[in-house]
Amino acid sequence: MQDFVDIGEKFIFIVMLFASILAVAVFVERFVIFRKNLTKEAVSFLEHLIPLLRHKDHKGTEKLLHDQKEETAYTRFTQFSIEREKENPKGLFELMEAKILKERLHLEDRLPILNTLGNNTPFIGLLGTVLGVIKAFYGLGTLGNSGAEVVMRSISTALLATAAGLAVAIPVVMANNYFSRKIKVITANLEILSKEFHANLVTGKSSHSSHTHN
């Protein structure tokens, strides 16, 4: 049993190391993606785009889009909406809703990994602690009072497993919450753009055409 417990403890710490590396990799990759959508340039694009839409300035909108150096969820959505509006404005609102869902899925990509790590690493650490305590009591039963030093070492290692689990889980949960909040912000901005496009380009065009026909 002692050998089994030793192998289990080593495996727990290997899993913790792998989990921490995976969490850092996912965080960095997602941070780069989110940063593109939260820069001053991205916010400035929104601030300049909405007045252009309200003035029904198609050329200005296309020029603003063309001048953007970095692709973001906002530029992709704008490009998509302009192209679909030119092809056929009917059903554009539904298409824009679908595009928002697609962008949301893109932003949420790999976040389930962080969610899984945040929920499970404390339990993995707790398992390491249980194995360490088992090892400690086994040593106490085998060595008696003369094995106090071995027992204390085993308990120390056991508590270290719990600490490792929490050390991985806490930053991961914080990162996941951060990204979740940013997804809400970006999605809300896309929904605002969707309504602006529909109200000022599609509905406005339809009203103008109906008035001209009469």
Side-chain angles (χ1 to χ4, degrees):
M1 188 182 74
Q2 185 79 3
D3 292 338
F4 173 77
V5 172
D6 287 338
I7 292 172
E9 280 188 318
K10 290 177 181 178
F11 179 74
I12 292 296
F13 282 107
I14 291 172
V15 169
M16 286 297 180
L17 178 61
F18 175 75
S20 61
I21 293 172
L22 181 60
V24 170
V26 172
F27 174 80
V28 171
E29 189 268 344
R30 286 291 93 188
F31 183 78
V32 171
I33 297 295
F34 277 78
R35 186 178 178 277
K36 291 180 180 179
N37 297 284
L38 299 169
T39 59
K40 291 181 179 179
E41 289 76 11
V43 175
S44 177
F45 174 76
L46 287 175
E47 292 175 348
H48 287 84
L49 177 61
I50 290 176
L52 292 173
L53 294 176
R54 291 177 179 174
H55 287 89
K56 301 176 177 60
D57 188 350
H58 291 73
K59 290 184 178 179
T61 300
E62 291 180 1
K63 184 179 184 303
L64 178 66
L65 183 63
H66 182 267
D67 290 341
Q68 296 304 300
K69 297 178 181 179
E70 200 163 38
E71 184 183 81
T72 66
Y74 306 133
T75 60
R76 286 193 297 270
F77 180 81
T78 303
Q79 182 69 43
F80 172 86
S81 301
I82 289 174
E83 291 174 355
R84 298 292 85 77
E85 191 269 338
K86 287 180 179 178
E87 292 173 0
N88 185 6
K90 291 183 179 179
L92 178 60
F93 188 71
E94 288 76 13
L95 290 173
M96 288 190 292
E97 289 287 316
K99 181 63 175 175
I100 291 173
L101 289 175
K102 186 176 180 180
E103 290 295 337
R104 185 182 181 92
L105 288 174
H106 174 67
L107 292 171
E108 290 177 343
D109 190 27
R110 296 187 180 87
L111 289 188
I113 296 175
L114 292 183
N115 190 44
T116 301
L117 292 176
N119 288 333
N120 291 286
T121 47
F123 295 106
I124 297 172
L126 182 60
L127 176 59
T129 298
V130 171
L131 292 175
V133 171
I134 291 172
K135 182 179 178 181
F137 278 106
Y138 181 81
L140 185 62
T142 304
L143 301 174
N145 293 332
S146 61
E149 185 179 342
V150 175
V151 172
M152 295 305 292
R153 259 202 316 267
S154 297
I155 293 176
S156 176
T157 304
L159 295 176
L160 185 60
T162 298
L166 293 174
V168 174
I170 292 172
V172 164
V173 170
M174 292 175 64
N176 194 50
N177 290 340
Y178 169 81
F179 289 134
S180 296
R181 287 195 301 270
K182 296 307 177 184
I183 286 174
K184 290 181 180 179
V185 171
I186 295 170
T187 303
N189 286 333
L190 290 175
E191 289 175 351
I192 291 171
L193 276 183
S194 175
K195 295 182 187 302
E196 291 285 351
F197 264 104
H198 190 261
N200 297 303
L201 294 186
V202 181
T203 307
K205 177 185 283 188
S206 300
S207 301
H208 178 73
S209 298
S210 175
H211 179 74
T212 304
H213 178 71
N214 292 334

